Amino acid sequence: MNEEKFYSRFTEKKSSKAEAKNKRREFNRQRDKFYDEKRRGLDKKNQIEFESKKSIPVDAKIIASSNLFDEKKLPADAVKVLESYDSIVQAVRPMNSRQLNNLPKDIRNLSHLLTDDRESRHISYMNATEQLSAYLRYFTWWNLVRLTRVFANIKPEAFQLEDGDVVLDIGSGPLTAVNALWLSRPELRAKKLQIYCMDISQSTMAVGEEIYMSIAAKARPADEDADAFWKITRVKGEIGTEIRKKAKFITCANMFNELYQKEKEAPEKIADKQIQNLLRYACEDCSVFIAEPGMPVAGRFISLMRERFINKKFEITAPCPHQGKCAMNGLHARYGGSAKWCNFSFSTENVPAKLLKLSESAGLPKDRAVISYVFACKKGEKLEKNADKNTAKVAVVSDPILLPGRRQGFYSCAESGMVLIQNPYGKNIKSGDSLELSLFKPVEKLEKDKKSGAPEIKI
């Protein structure tokens, strides 16, 4: 006897609109229940079985730990703004009930344009009303969540900004990086900064500036005598457009991915060209931040830019624990190559509930947020080569992976290259963790992972 499928009772001809609506609602409920039970079954099947502490000898112990996306580093007023971001956008760019009902569909359509259907995307797509609204209310919100987490967890001395300094945000869009910087670094709010925002869409920047004014009014400088806002100058154009002053801090968030989608040159040639473009804007002791979506091609480009920053005598402040060769350069990763590509993720557990609900309604649910980025300083904190072979600084890059014997592992980056962290005793480890390890044996004497050849470190 064939097992009845959960959806079989809903395939009969519908007799009325009301009945059809009720059946559709029940169908959705049963479908969600079916797939939820299926997912739980797979989770149980693949559950990691942590060994008893007497069964496996360890190679190292953790002596210090932090995370690149620790939400506790966010200021309280920034958390409130992120929670109410949809209300801020509604006040700046209101939508009626019909437009709000269509928003999930518009978000889904724009998602296709930004990913699998990008070949048909027009260069001025952000000027279309539906697409700009979808971008502001969904993609910008997610980008703010990512960037505020990143900026809040970078050491304050990396920004090196004082009164009168210039910040250049290239590919500014709705000023996402500027808003993220204001929210996450409250010590900079009282600085008299000149912010140049550069983008090909003047209207998008104009809306972004209004959003910035609203955000700054809700998350104010601690010094009551300080200016309420940074001075914003909008520059219409793409990278290469001239500005009047040299910049102390340059940001490029989700900008290069659109550029190298159009370029026909090899990624290395594009990176050579773009490092020169960036440095034309930079003053002698500048810092540069580049962030891209967590995709293989983006991870490859970030790695290439990192290499060129190092060649230009920059120090890599984040996320790397070293100044050596990139262990996860993503070479040929998008074509199925074996090279790992650098991208970090964090759980959406503490992301604004309204944003998660909007993601669900758009058919784009997220249980993690992903980003590839590099923060480079010309005169930043120098990361010296580690001379102590008994310690290692490691950045946990991958999500947990299932190893033979149902053990948990993480591909990670260290000065020695890529390593495979094994977690046989169920320690709280996740992507984005920066670990300082005390090694019980030198790296060269560790066992090697058969798949990747990376040294295995059991902790």
Side-chain angles (χ1 to χ4, degrees):
M1 183 176 179
N2 293 332
E3 182 180 356
E4 182 185 9
K5 303 295 185 182
F6 79 93
Y7 52 79
S8 60
R9 76 193 70 172
F10 304 103
T11 58
E12 298 174 0
K13 188 176 180 180
K14 303 171 181 59
S15 58
S16 69
K17 288 185 177 181
E19 186 178 355
K21 186 175 182 180
N22 290 334
K23 283 188 175 182
R24 172 56 60 180
R25 186 181 294 114
E26 178 63 14
F27 172 87
N28 290 337
R29 190 185 70 80
Q30 293 284 356
R31 177 200 59 194
D32 293 344
K33 180 181 178 182
F34 174 82
Y35 283 111
D36 187 50
E37 290 175 352
K38 184 176 180 181
R39 186 182 69 250
R40 285 203 300 267
L42 288 173
D43 289 345
K44 185 176 181 180
K45 180 180 177 182
N46 294 327
Q47 186 176 9
I48 302 295
E49 293 181 356
F50 295 114
E51 307 285 346
S52 70
K53 294 191 176 183
K54 295 180 181 179
S55 60
I56 295 181
V58 296
D59 304 308
K61 68 176 182 179
I62 300 173
I63 56 179
S65 176
S66 61
N67 189 270
L68 298 171
F69 309 109
D70 184 1
E71 69 272 11
K72 296 183 180 66
K73 296 289 185 66
L74 283 172
D77 56 3
V79 173
K80 290 181 179 179
V81 167
L82 290 173
E83 292 283 351
S84 62
Y85 174 77
D86 58 331
S87 300
I88 293 173
V89 178
Q90 177 67 6
V92 170
R93 189 182 173 87
M95 294 176 70
N96 59 37
S97 58
R98 180 186 59 81
Q99 291 170 324
L100 288 171
N101 286 334
N102 289 333
L103 181 60
K105 181 190 69 171
D106 293 337
I107 291 170
R108 192 163 53 250
N109 290 340
L110 181 55
S111 177
H112 287 302
L113 279 178
L114 294 173
T115 53
D116 54 289
D117 198 25
R118 57 179 176 263
E119 295 297 329
S120 64
R121 187 178 68 213
H122 193 272
I123 190 171
S124 59
Y125 71 98
M126 286 286 281
N127 290 328
T129 300
E130 295 84 359
Q131 291 173 0
L132 178 55
S133 294
Y135 193 87
L136 288 172
R137 292 170 178 270
Y138 180 77
F139 296 95
T140 300
W141 201 351
W142 272 115
N143 288 333
L144 278 174
V145 169
R146 293 183 183 95
L147 295 181
T148 51
R149 294 278 189 98
V150 171
F151 285 156
N153 284 278
I154 291 176
K155 294 181 179 179
E157 55 268 26
F159 293 95
Q160 311 177 72
L161 294 172
E162 300 296 339
D163 288 346
D165 284 342
V166 170
V167 174
L168 171 62
D169 183 29
I170 307 174
S172 192
L175 279 62
T176 312
V178 174
N179 284 321
L181 191 65
W182 180 275
L183 287 170
S184 58
R185 306 304 318 189
E187 76 277 12
L188 297 179
R189 297 175 190 169
K191 303 289 185 183
K192 298 180 184 298
L193 301 180
Q194 169 77 63
I195 313 292
Y196 282 89
C197 298
M198 183 182 296
D199 198 275
I200 60 173
S201 175
Q202 186 73 258
S203 60
T204 304
M205 287 191 292
V207 174
E209 186 172 356
E210 290 186 62
I211 293 173
Y212 164 68
M213 295 295 183
S214 298
I215 286 176
K218 295 177 182 296
R220 303 185 63 82
D223 183 356
E224 295 182 357
D225 296 326
D227 293 342
F229 311 102
W230 293 327
K231 183 180 179 182
I232 304 291
T233 300
R234 302 197 301 267
V235 179
K236 188 177 188 300
E238 56 187 12
I239 187 169
T241 304
E242 291 186 6
I243 62 172
R244 294 181 179 179
K245 298 178 181 179
K246 295 291 186 180
K248 190 73 172 289
F249 182 40
I250 301 172
T251 63
C252 306
N254 300 315
M255 187 272 291
F256 284 116
N257 72 89
E258 296 198 5
L259 184 148
Y260 55 66
Q261 285 171 15
K262 299 181 295 182
E263 293 281 354
K264 302 300 182 183
E265 294 180 310
E268 293 80 3
K269 292 291 186 182
I270 298 173
D272 287 337
K273 184 188 298 183
Q274 297 311 322
I275 195 71
Q276 295 301 326
N277 279 334
L278 288 176
L279 295 184
R280 288 191 188 100
Y281 294 119
C283 65
E284 184 62 29
D285 55 346
C286 69
S287 300
V288 183
F289 172 77
I290 301 175
E292 292 293 325
M295 303 181 299
V297 64
R300 174 63 177 159
F301 185 77
I302 290 289
S303 176
L304 290 170
M305 293 299 287
R306 176 189 182 274
E307 179 183 13
R308 282 148 183 78
F309 280 127
I310 292 174
N311 292 341
K312 297 293 183 180
K313 309 303 180 185
F314 280 75
E315 300 292 332
I316 306 303
T317 300
C320 312
H322 62 87
Q323 304 295 303
K325 188 176 180 180
C326 181
M328 299 184 180
N329 61 24
L331 181 63
H332 305 315
R334 62 175 170 164
Y335 303 117
S338 60
K340 304 297 179 185
W341 46 283
C342 184
N343 68 110
F344 297 89
S345 66
F346 59 89
S347 168
T348 59
E349 181 181 1
N350 295 312
V351 166
K354 288 187 288 185
L355 177 54
L356 292 176
K357 184 177 180 181
L358 182 59
S359 292
E360 290 278 355
S361 63
L364 302 168
K366 292 183 187 293
D367 57 8
R368 64 189 190 116
V370 187
I371 188 171
S372 292
Y373 75 96
V374 63
F375 196 111
C377 297
K378 194 61 180 288
K379 289 186 179 179
E381 179 189 12
K382 190 170 181 62
L383 297 178
E384 300 290 348
K385 188 177 179 67
N386 185 20
D388 186 359
K389 290 190 175 183
N390 295 321
T391 64
K393 292 182 178 180
V394 175
V396 178
V397 178
S398 76
D399 287 325
I401 57 176
L402 187 63
L403 300 173
R406 294 193 179 185
R407 298 178 190 171
Q408 187 187 66
F410 300 83
Y411 284 115
S412 305
C413 179
E415 189 174 52
S416 59
M418 187 170 70
V419 297
L420 177 62
I421 297 293
Q422 285 199 23
N423 186 26
Y425 304 131
K427 294 184 181 297
N428 183 20
I429 300 173
K430 54 186 176 296
S431 176
D433 279 350
S434 297
L435 307 177
E436 186 172 355
L437 304 178
S438 175
L439 298 174
F440 301 149
K441 62 176 73 172
V443 172
E444 56 269 20
K445 292 187 178 181
L446 294 169
E447 294 181 10
K448 299 293 178 63
D449 173 40
K450 292 180 181 179
K451 181 178 179 180
S452 65
E456 298 177 350
I457 305 178
K458 302 179 186 68
I459 57 177

